[in-house]
Amino acid sequence: MDKEYTILMLPGDGIGPEIMGEARRVIDWLGAKRNLKFKIHEGLVGGAAYDAHGMPLSPEILELAKQVDVVLLGAVGGPKWAGVDYDRRPEAGLLTLRKELELFANLRPAICFEALVEASSLKPELVSGLDIMIVRELTGGVYFGEPRGIETLENGERRGVNTQVYTTSEIHRIARVAFDLAGKRDGRVTSCEKANVMESGLLWREEVTVIAAEYPEIKLDHMLADSCAMQLVRAPKQFDVIVTDNLFGDLLSDVAAMLTGSLGMLPSAALGAKGGCAMYEPVHGSAPDIAGRGIANPIATILSLAMALRYSFDCATEARLIEDAVQKVLAAGLRTADIMQPGREQVSTAVMGDSIIGALDSLNK
Ligand code: IPM
Ligand code: MG
């Protein structure tokens, strides 16, 4: 019998359900036209789960997430839950999934589709052909470090604390992911931290250097994270793989996303130990300002599905097919509002989904 792939779909909040609906259609297409067998579960996460159960991730959904091959997540958060305590905020559901599934390696590829070169806020020659891989550490650093909290001092002042902390083993394992990936790409890794002001940054720099010795064929550079942000908007094509911590990775991947034309284009993969569950999600957030209007860009989510096919299901052919289909609809001039350019045709979320399915059909012949 053919292998059955299990996917837990967690649409989440804001535009999450809309974009996930289009990814679902691509999954159904793969089942019908490529003979792949999927077992799909669905559940609530984030604010949607908070509204239903008073918590952003129920124990049942967490358990299910541990059992499936892949979690496909839409987006979490929104102003509606701004007043909720941190441990029950929509974002806490996502962070718990990352931590509990030990998804320490976050791959965020920033690839500029040729058709979108003009949509970037940078000059076309700076982004044409851009292909960067940001490897963000995802289960450590200031996102999870203790102590944390807000306390009131005796003098009545309030004090907010978060802790940036990394251990050698955490740095070693994410560094290996980056070096392994670079070996399949252009063979260059740029490691980013703030070693000039932070001890944890100095440790990061030293321990990445230790692992580099295992990879003599890879060229390693170190760059201060602020300088990296500057270089990303000055001359982004100088980078191949960027490896960095949780917080800097969050920031730098948003910068890199915009180089490609829109945050609505960028997929991501959160991977753990080999063979375990992995989670795939668009880099963009829940975009509450445009939620429910049918205008969100479903491409980042559909490309996240392509990453799942490549990294979790060993279906590189189908992953490629999806990427080619996206390329095809963009080349044909179709644009959602976020990537709209003069002379192109602005389409809704659903029409973009239809068109990608249509392109899959024609490429599959
Ligand atoms: C991301 C997001 C998340 C993060 C939020 C939603 C918790 O910005 O995945 O980049 O900060 O990691
Ligand atoms: Mg972010």
Side-chain angles (χ1 to χ4, degrees):
M1 202 185 112
D2 288 346
K3 183 168 170 18
E4 185 180 69
Y5 303 114
T6 53
I7 302 182
L8 170 59
M9 300 186 78
L10 301 174
D13 309 322
I15 58 170
E18 297 161 55
I19 53 178
M20 199 66 116
E22 300 310 315
R24 176 62 200 253
R25 295 175 63 201
V26 175
I27 293 174
D28 292 343
W29 183 91
L30 291 166
K33 304 287 176 68
R34 298 290 302 177
N35 226 1
L36 300 183
K37 289 198 174 39
F38 296 101
K39 182 159 175 49
I40 308 289
H41 303 270
E42 276 197 51
L44 298 177
V45 72
Y50 178 83
D51 288 346
H53 316 295
M55 55 181 125
L57 182 72
S58 70
E60 293 75 29
I61 294 296
L62 177 58
E63 201 40 51
L64 197 53
K66 287 179 177 167
Q67 284 162 19
V68 296
D69 300 315
V70 155
V71 177
L72 193 61
L73 188 133
V76 295
K80 184 178 175 194
W81 304 280
V84 178
D85 284 346
Y86 271 103
D87 57 345
R88 283 169 185 257
R89 283 235 183 133
E91 290 80 0
L94 174 59
L95 297 180
T96 305
L97 275 170
R98 291 174 179 172
K99 190 74 176 172
E100 288 286 322
L101 300 174
E102 292 182 66
L103 305 173
F104 67 90
N106 192 199
L107 276 41
R108 298 190 158 190
I111 294 170
C112 188
F113 284 89
E114 211 45 44
L116 288 188
V117 162
E118 302 282 344
S120 173
S121 47
L122 263 59
K123 295 190 196 94
E125 63 269 27
L126 292 183
V127 293
S128 171
L130 182 78
D131 180 355
I132 304 177
M133 178 67 88
I134 296 192
V135 178
R136 169 189 178 192
E137 200 290 328
L138 204 58
T139 51
V142 74
Y143 272 61
F144 297 98
E146 300 281 350
R148 64 183 298 159
I150 299 178
E151 59 183 8
T152 303
L153 304 176
E154 278 178 9
N155 66 4
E157 257 212 306
R158 296 208 302 153
R159 182 169 178 263
V161 181
N162 289 93
T163 304
Q164 166 80 336
V165 50
Y166 274 106
T167 59
T168 47
S169 59
E170 285 176 316
I171 300 168
H172 288 180
R173 65 182 182 177
I174 193 71
R176 287 200 176 93
V177 170
F179 286 115
D180 284 337
L181 276 169
K184 296 182 195 137
R185 296 170 49 97
D186 200 34
R188 294 179 294 118
V189 171
T190 306
S191 171
C192 295
E193 27 54 17
K194 283 285 288 178
N196 54 344
V197 284
M198 297 165 76
E199 284 80 359
S200 58
L202 181 60
L203 184 79
W204 182 281
R205 183 174 286 222
E206 290 174 355
E207 296 302 331
V208 169
T209 307
V210 168
I211 300 306
E214 296 171 14
Y215 297 84
E217 72 286 5
I218 307 291
K219 183 173 180 315
L220 170 67
D221 282 316
H222 302 280
M223 199 178 270
L224 297 175
D226 52 346
S227 175
C228 180
M230 183 268 286
Q231 292 295 343
L232 270 174
V233 292
R234 191 188 76 87
K237 282 192 270 185
Q238 70 185 282
F239 296 106
D240 180 23
V241 174
I242 294 176
V243 62
T244 190
D245 76 14
N246 206 342
L247 183 61
F248 295 139
D250 184 42
L251 303 178
L252 296 175
S253 60
D254 267 26
V255 175
M258 267 328 280
L259 305 177
T260 70
S262 165
L263 210 47
M265 294 297 299
L266 228 73
S268 80
L271 311 175
K274 285 215 166 52
C277 171
M279 182 157 71
Y280 298 84
E281 48 172 321
V283 169
H284 62 70
S286 59
D289 51 324
I290 60 163
R293 291 170 50 195
I295 60 169
N297 186 349
I299 292 180
T301 310
I302 290 172
L303 291 175
S304 297
L305 172 64
M307 286 187 89
L309 290 162
R310 176 170 291 120
Y311 291 106
S312 288
F313 296 153
D314 225 0
C315 295
T317 311
E318 282 75 14
R320 198 54 213 255
L321 206 54
I322 293 175
E323 288 156 0
D324 288 347
V326 168
Q327 173 76 54
K328 193 167 178 204
V329 299
L330 292 174
L334 299 195
R335 302 284 187 270
T336 42
D338 56 309
I339 48 175
M340 186 54 192
Q341 300 157 275
R344 308 293 182 205
E345 185 187 347
Q346 187 166 331
V347 299
S348 65
T349 310
V351 171
M352 182 56 92
D354 286 341
S355 312
I356 291 173
I357 300 276
L360 282 169
D361 272 329
S362 69
L363 290 167
N364 193 34
K365 285 200 178 106

